[in-house]
Each structure stands twice: as C-alpha cells, then as structure tokens.
Amino acid sequence: MTTKRKMTAMLLALTLATGSLAACSSGNNNPPANNGGTTNGPAESGGSSDAKDTITALLPPVSPAYQENFKQMEEEFNKLYPNLTLKIEPASWEDMTQKLDTQVNAGSPPDLAFIGSDGISKYAQMDMLMDIKDLVTPEMVSDFDEAPLEYMKNGDGLYGFPAYMEVHAIGGNKQYMEEAGIDWKSVQENGWTYDEFREAIKSGTVQQDGNTRYGFVFATAGVASKDYLAILVKNAGMPSPFTEDLKYAYTSKNYLDVLKAIRQMIDDGSMPKELSSVDAGKRWNMFLTGQTMITGKGLAVFENSANKNNEKLKAGDGSAVADSIEVDYIVLPMPSFGDHDPVSYAVVDGYVAFRGKKEPTDEHKANVVKAAYFLASGNVAATTNSDLFAAHITKSGREAAASIESNRNPDNVAAVERMLEHAAPARPDIPVELGAQAIKVENETVIPRLQALLAGEITPEVMYEDVKKAAIAAFGEDGVVQD
C-alpha cells in the first residue's frame, strides 16, 4: 500500500471513529427492528421561495422499519417546509435498479434516489444527475464527515449526500469457530491470509446427521451477484477497478488468482456446490439455522438481527426464524491474498439528486437539496443508522443518536475500526466515462461469467480470458493492466 493510500485510509478511519463503526450494505441484509421516530432538526434553506413544490424520492428498505416511517418522514419534512411536499415511492432492493432505470430512460427520474456511490458515474454519463455543489450551504457540508462525502463526488461535481459508511466484511458463529479451533480474536486484530482462511473453513465444515454444516457461505445470487468477487479482489492488490494511472486493473494475473480461489473453496467442500443459487435471504437463513460457520457478506446490521432473533428464541416468540439457533455474531475481516496488504471494501450509499430531460428551476433544485439533507442528517439518519449499527457520519446524526441505546459487541466495534484503517479510499478522480465503461464490463461480462464459474460451467482461466477480452475492447490495449 502506498504512503499516500495509507494516509488517506488512516484519515478515513479517524474521521469515522466517533461513530458507530459499521454499516448496512446496498441492501443484502436482514436488518433489525425500528428504534423510533424520524423527526429531524432544522435543515438549511438554500433558497427563499415560498412557492409550493413537490420533491419525489425513490427509496428502498434501507432498514426494516425505514419504509414504515415514510409517512412520518413526509409529514416531518412538511412541518419544516410548509410549502414543500416530499413524495416517497417505495421500492424493494430487488427492483430498485429496474425502477430507477425505467424512469431515467423515460427522461423523468425521481428527484432523489437511494443508490450506491459507485453508480454515480453510470447516471452522470447519461447526463441525468444534478450537480449540487453550488446549491448546498456551508452548514450542510460541514455537518458531514469528510471521507464519506468524498464518495458522492465525481470529478468536480457533488451529486448527493451520503447516508452511511459501510465496511463489507464476513461474520462468524462464535461457538462454531471456537469448536473449530479458530482464534477469532486474533483474526479480528491481525487479519488472516487466504491460506489460513481456507484451512479454517475446512476445519469448520462438519457432517451432522447426514447434513453438511459448511465452513463458509456467501450470497452470490440476485442483488448480491457482484459482491463476492468485488470484495475479494480488493485484498489481492486491486483496491479499485482502476489503478492510480487509470488503467483497468482486473486484467492483472492477481485477478486470476482470486478466481482460482473461488473454485478451490467450493471444490474443497467448504462451500456448497449450489453456491450460485444462494441469495442474500438464503445465506442469512443458513447462518441462523446453523448450516454454516461463517457467512458473507457480513454487515454490521447482522449482529443486531442475530441479537433480536436470539431474544425471540429465549422468549419462545413464534416469529423467530424457523429452526434457528442462538448465535453470537462475530465480525471478521476478509482474507488477504499472497503478500498483498488487506484492503477493506468501504461502501457509501446515499441520496443522489437526479434531473429529467427538462432543466429544473433554481427553486426546485434548492428544494431537492433541502430534501436530500433532511433524509441524510439529524434524526432520520440517527434512527436509520442506529437500526443498522452503521456509522453516524453527520454531527447532527451523532447528536440525535446520543440517546439511542446500543447492545453492540465491543469486540465487533473494534474490529470494524481496524478494518476502516485499511479501507479503500474514494476515487473521484476516475472519469465518468471510464467508470461507466467499467460498470458495463461488470454487468455484461464479469457477473455472467462469475455465475458460470460458481456453477462449475467454466474454469477460472476461461473467465479470466473473457474478462480480459471485454476490458481490452472497452479500454484498449494500453488502457488495461498487462502483467
């Protein structure tokens, strides 16, 4: 890791250390129950017009009670701004992208949509995003921690406000790991190599009454289809799809090493042969019912979900997951490959501003910014992020969350803090065109080939060559890593 990258990652970690250091994903979770209301403190104005206006927002279930609070959120926003109406359209994680793309392609997207910051380049290239850098007030900007706000930028533009900062990790069943002889505290503190991890999940694979308890299960189907590979490659010398000199990185031989590892873990029997059909819900059910020792991707919210299911089991509550067991959820880092430094997959999702084919008025733009800030700060952010065990990344959110109790395992808090020290920094330097091309290569080649690899239909070498061909076609011979 270069000195510059280390300094950036350390700054990122220090910036977030005052929050509850974990986060939700872009949706592949089973988040916990509601923690209360959503009233925000005063948002900065950004405009003085009293004309009536409606701001639309397309929002997925960021936390389980998030969508239940939509009516209250709309009412609270209207109390702050009596002339403004916040109209929220709910979407599931599964159909969020399809809904948004349909509206974007029709030229009438919502004013705000909750998306991952890695999707900004896709919509910016389509000229459907609204740059809000000249619309936000200094008070709004100063409320946010610097590191996560960087993720909402591309080039010189700022396209929204972050909701949380997330570290994609894995999570283990404490009892099962100790039975397998795994020193999970050492792993939390010092990390582990791929070889160490591979042996650990072999040890954790147990035959019980004719059934297999796997050492490791990762969701690889549906909305989670790209996560597994994207997280692994960061720990193999590829912290970003592009190097610092803007060459596409996934043509490196390091990429092939990761693809080989993916097949090894299945062929070892440490992961199910049917891994390509395991979606987010199934992998969490497998974890809670004792069918796997370690699960992924592991999100901070999973600890809260496991705790709540444990409470239901103790109380004899019939709404507990069927056939589930009590689980002490332990946060673990991803393994690193070879002599490469560990790099955590830090993800920032948030409220991104869109524009239609028709240029919105200055007053409407200012109102969209008010709505985005309302959703990303104060009590709305505090309630949502506390539900998720996620980092509070605004001063107003931290203040609002001070009275919300948490039962997080301090070992897990410390583990996430360490992972943030190795987090990949934001890359606003990647041009929109390159970012959009990388997404196209991912959707058209990487994800389909990964599914074929997981199913045993192609070899790692075939997938590597296919990705390399697609990358060269997209970026040219000189635009990709050749090692």
Side-chain angles (χ1 to χ4, degrees), residues 162-331:
Y164 50 68
M165 186 132 194
E166 169 189 13
V167 175
H168 285 176
I170 50 181
N173 178 311
K174 177 182 176 182
Q175 177 185 341
Y176 289 171
M177 289 193 295
E178 291 178 347
E179 289 175 358
I182 299 169
D183 186 349
W184 57 267
K185 283 193 176 183
S186 175
V187 173
Q188 283 189 331
E189 293 172 3
N190 305 306
W192 44 7
T193 66
Y194 167 67
D195 290 335
E196 291 169 337
F197 176 74
R198 185 181 175 194
E199 290 305 313
I201 61 175
K202 280 183 183 179
S203 299
T205 301
V206 178
Q207 298 298 322
Q208 295 178 314
D209 302 323
N211 298 314
T212 302
R213 180 216 297 165
Y214 294 99
F216 186 36
V217 171
F218 202 105
T220 62
V223 292
S225 59
K226 65 181 181 179
D227 295 336
Y228 188 30
L229 182 55
I231 294 169
L232 285 172
V233 297
K234 289 193 180 301
N235 291 278
M238 296 164 285
S240 167
F242 293 94
T243 61
E244 292 185 356
D245 58 354
L246 298 179
K247 291 185 182 294
Y248 187 73
Y250 298 160
T251 52
S252 166
K253 291 179 180 177
N254 294 333
Y255 194 77
L256 177 57
D257 290 339
V258 175
L259 299 181
K260 289 178 179 178
I262 286 174
R263 273 310 317 172
Q264 282 178 335
M265 288 182 277
I266 297 173
D267 294 338
D268 281 347
S270 302
M271 303 185 79
K273 287 184 171 60
E274 305 79 15
L275 190 65
S276 62
S277 65
V278 176
D279 62 15
K282 183 175 181 180
R283 70 86 156 74
W284 185 237
N285 181 273
M286 291 180 71
F287 184 75
L288 287 184
T289 56
Q291 298 178 65
T292 182
M293 178 179 70
I294 296 175
T295 192
K297 75 184 168 233
L299 309 170
V301 66
F302 286 9
E303 181 188 344
N304 201 5
S305 298
N307 291 345
K308 290 185 177 297
N309 196 67
N310 290 343
E311 292 169 5
K312 291 178 179 179
L313 289 172
K314 291 175 183 176
D317 187 334
S319 64
V321 173
D323 301 319
S324 59
I325 60 175
E326 289 190 32
V327 176
D328 286 331
Y329 183 88
I330 299 297
V331 172

Side-chain angles (χ1 to χ4, degrees), residues 402-447:
S403 60
I404 300 176
E405 294 184 2
S406 175
N407 61 345
R408 288 195 71 189
N409 180 336
D411 287 327
N412 288 342
V413 175
V416 176
E417 288 176 354
R418 293 187 192 97
M419 281 185 274
L420 282 169
E421 294 175 4
H422 303 287
R427 291 291 306 274
D429 62 300
I430 297 174
V432 166
E433 296 79 11
L434 287 184
Q437 283 283 18
I439 291 173
K440 184 178 180 182
V441 170
E442 178 182 74
N443 289 335
E444 295 182 358
T445 304
V446 174
I447 293 175

